[in-house]
């Protein structure tokens, strides 16, 4: 009986540590666009990543905004301050070995807990073209 | 009675343990694939801190441009750009800002002049010297196999220091790096993934003795051309003298 309880506890603890992945179809309009809100799981540690389908003609700047009050206020605005994010110029979609890649993006980690106290995330784009793509956001409590 | 008091005072001086006050406060890291710059998440930092930035990047024909932060600090070079001996395009460097400006929404950006694979890890250090913090550095850019090293520094210039080590790899399939250097605490660990982004491991060690120091790590698969770096940073001993040791500090 104790063994079964242990197995159940292990199962649910593993489930709690599993990464959460959300894919949202969005039409990113030039020159700037804000995605809908992504819910952030209640994790005290971990990382998050954003992956976007690659297009060799696409130049864009991406900034992340976080809310700790369920979307009433947000952490930063790319028009006034540098946000967590990345920039990409129009370049071929290949990895460092020259092999084709389908997505690009970035991953962020914080030693004290990347997701701590955050309830929602949204992504700001500054883009050279209007595109409809699937944006994938992954929260990993590992 | 006076002799007894004198003896007591002398005893306290003699048995008072040496300790280091310089400390790792917090860290943040980020990496990108096929992007020209990546900016970390925000920390709330303290003005006067030392900020150490380890950068590992694959340039694919492009060049490093800068390490900057949102507080307009200017970063100096502790270890200049290293090129992997066997992985074309793999580079690494260690930069720092002593007596930096801190505050809320503090983040860091690694920029290249074209698309690449930037990875950076930042550490905030308290109670380091506000000028002349860098003491010794060492590096090795031809680590191939399932382990790597920064190589050993020369003998440090003072006893109380914080040692910042890192290992960097880019083109392995999914190499996970693990710190093996004795006494080091891991700060960031980014798994190298199939040529899509660079992996890096960073760690620190607070020391209270003059010595040579080396950072080492293991990889769970054979990796070519890993780069190892180590930098030692001096404690502000004058400031430390006014403080009691904090919980968890090294006492030797």
């Amino acid at each position: 009986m104790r063994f079964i309880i242990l197995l159940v506890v292990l199962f649910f603890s593993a489930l709690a540590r599993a990464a959460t992945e959300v894919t949202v179809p969005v039409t990113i309009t030039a020159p700037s666009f804000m995605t809908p809100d992504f819910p952030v799981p209640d994790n005290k540690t971990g990382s998050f990543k954003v992956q976007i389908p690659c297009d060799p003609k696409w130049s864009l700047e991406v900034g992340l905004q976080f809310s700790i009050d369920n979307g009433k206020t947000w952490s930063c605005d790319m028009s006034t301050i540098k946000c967590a994010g990345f920039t990409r110029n129009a370049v071929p979609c290949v990895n460092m070995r020259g092999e084709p890649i389908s997505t690009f993006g970035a991953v962020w980690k914080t030693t004290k807990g990347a997701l701590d106290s955050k309830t929602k995330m949204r992504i700001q784009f500054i883009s050279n073209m209007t595109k409809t793509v699937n944006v994938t956001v992954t929260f990993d409590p590992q | 009675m006076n002799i007894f008091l004198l003896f007591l005072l002398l005893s306290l001086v003699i048995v008072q343990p040496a300790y280091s006050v310089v400390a790792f406060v917090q860290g943040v890291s980020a990496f990108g694939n096929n992007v020209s710059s990546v900016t970390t998440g925000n920390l709330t930092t303290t003005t006067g801190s030392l900020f150490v930035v380890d950068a590992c990047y694959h340039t694919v024909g492009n060049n490093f441009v800068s390490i900057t932060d949102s507080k307009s600090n200017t970063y100096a070079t502790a270890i200049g750009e290293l090129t992997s001996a066997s992985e074309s395009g793999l580079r690494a460097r260690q930069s720092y800002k002593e007596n930096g400006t801190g505050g809320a929404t503090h983040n860091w950006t690694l920029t290249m002049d074209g698309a690449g694979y930037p990875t950076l890890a930042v550490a905030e250090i308290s109670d380091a010297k506000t000028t002349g913090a860098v003491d010794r550095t060492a590096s090795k850019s031809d680590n191939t196999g399932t382990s790597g090293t920064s190589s050993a520094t020369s003998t440090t210039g003072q006893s109380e220091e914080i040692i910042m080590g890192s290992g960097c790899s880019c083109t392995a399939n999914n190499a996970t790096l693990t710190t093996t250097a004795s006494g080091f605490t891991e700060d960031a660990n980014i798994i190298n993934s199939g040529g899509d982004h660079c992996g890096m491991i960073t760690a620190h060690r607070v020391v209270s003795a003059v010595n040579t120091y080396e950072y080492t790590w293991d990889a769970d698969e054979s990796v070519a051309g890993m780069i190892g770096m180590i930098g030692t940073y001096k404690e502000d001993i004058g400031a430390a003298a006014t403080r009691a040791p904090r919980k968890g500090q090294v006492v030797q």
Side-chain angles (χ1 to χ4, degrees):
Chain A
M1 184 63 182
R2 283 182 181 172
F3 180 68
I4 293 171
I5 292 170
L6 180 65
L7 281 179
V8 171
V9 169
L10 286 174
F11 173 77
F12 280 105
S13 65
L15 206 61
R17 289 197 301 270
T20 303
E21 187 171 290
V22 181
T23 298
V24 177
V26 290
T27 298
I28 296 166
T29 54
S32 67
F33 177 77
M34 187 78 76
T35 67
D37 303 347
F38 291 85
V40 177
D42 185 20
N43 297 314
K44 295 300 180 192
T45 61
S47 64
F48 48 90
K49 73 177 174 182
V50 172
Q51 292 294 304
I52 301 166
C54 198
D55 180 335
K57 296 177 181 172
W58 198 7
S59 292
L60 76 166
E61 186 175 351
V62 172
L64 309 186
Q65 295 187 353
F66 287 95
S67 174
I68 59 172
D69 55 12
N70 212 29
K72 290 177 187 165
T73 58
W74 293 89
S75 61
C76 73
D77 185 332
M78 283 165 66
S79 62
T80 57
I81 191 172
K82 193 83 174 176
C83 303
F86 59 85
T87 57
R88 182 178 188 275
N89 303 321
V91 292
C93 294
V94 293
N95 70 11
M96 61 185 81
R97 295 169 175 162
E99 302 161 343
I101 57 171
S102 58
T103 61
F104 66 94
V107 179
W108 296 267
K109 294 184 175 185
T110 306
T111 300
K112 275 190 169 177
L115 312 177
D116 195 8
S117 302
K118 297 176 175 75
T119 54
K120 286 188 173 180
M121 188 189 99
R122 63 186 187 182
I123 308 169
Q124 190 174 7
F125 289 86
I126 296 172
S127 172
N128 69 337
M129 62 172 74
T130 296
K131 285 183 69 69
T132 300
V133 294
N134 287 321
V135 175
T136 299
V137 178
T138 306
F139 301 99
D140 189 348
Q142 299 296 325
Chain B
M1 185 63 179
N2 286 342
I3 292 174
F4 174 75
L5 282 173
L6 185 63
F7 177 76
L8 186 65
L9 283 170
L10 280 172
S11 301
L12 285 171
V13 169
I14 290 168
V15 301
Q16 175 68 37
Y19 60 84
S20 294
V21 167
V22 63
F24 172 88
V25 178
Q26 57 188 334
V28 68
S29 61
F31 59 90
N33 65 311
N34 203 234
V35 300
S36 55
S37 79
V38 67
T39 300
T40 69
N42 294 326
L43 295 178
T44 298
T45 59
T46 302
T47 292
S49 290
L50 166 70
F51 301 109
V52 178
V53 182
D54 284 298
C56 171
Y57 43 95
H58 200 288
T59 56
V60 287
N62 298 304
N63 298 298
F64 167 89
V65 172
S66 64
I67 289 168
T68 56
D69 71 13
S70 57
K71 300 299 177 187
S72 301
N73 289 308
T74 300
Y75 284 78
T77 299
I79 300 172
E81 185 174 81
L82 302 163
T83 301
S84 170
S86 55
E87 285 295 341
S88 175
L90 169 56
R91 311 271 193 270
R93 64 174 63 217
Q94 187 174 90
S95 302
Y96 69 99
K97 170 61 183 177
E98 54 199 9
N99 196 23
T101 299
T105 62
H106 195 172
N107 59 40
W108 290 261
T109 301
L110 170 56
T111 303
M112 294 185 290
D113 63 3
Y117 303 84
T119 293
L120 78 163
V122 183
E124 180 185 10
I125 311 296
S126 64
D127 295 299
K129 289 191 75 168
T130 53
T131 58
V134 179
D135 184 13
R136 300 288 188 262
T137 62
S139 61
K140 190 171 191 294
S141 54
D142 59 351
N143 293 284
T144 293
T146 55
S147 65
T149 176
S150 62
S151 76
T153 64
S154 56
T155 303
T156 50
Q158 74 174 41
S159 51
E160 292 79 17
E161 296 200 353
I162 188 165
I163 317 295
M164 307 300 295
S166 69
C168 158
S169 71
C170 277
T171 53
N173 287 327
N174 285 290
T176 299
L177 308 181
T178 307
T179 294
T180 54
S182 176
F184 278 81
T185 300
E186 211 162 276
D187 303 325
N189 194 342
I190 295 160
I191 298 172
N192 183 184
S193 180
D196 284 339
H197 65 257
C198 294
M200 184 163 63
I201 189 167
T202 65
H204 73 274
R205 179 183 176 187
V206 176
V207 298
S208 299
V210 170
N211 208 334
T212 63
Y213 293 98
E214 179 179 9
Y215 178 65
T216 58
W217 69 90
D218 276 350
D220 65 353
E221 63 177 270
S222 183
V223 184
M226 293 182 287
I227 299 174
M229 300 186 291
I230 190 169
T232 82
Y233 296 85
K234 294 177 179 175
E235 176 178 293
D236 184 350
I237 294 174
T242 65
R243 298 181 181 88
R246 297 190 194 111
K247 185 181 179 184
Q249 278 176 335
V250 173
V251 178
Q252 293 182 353

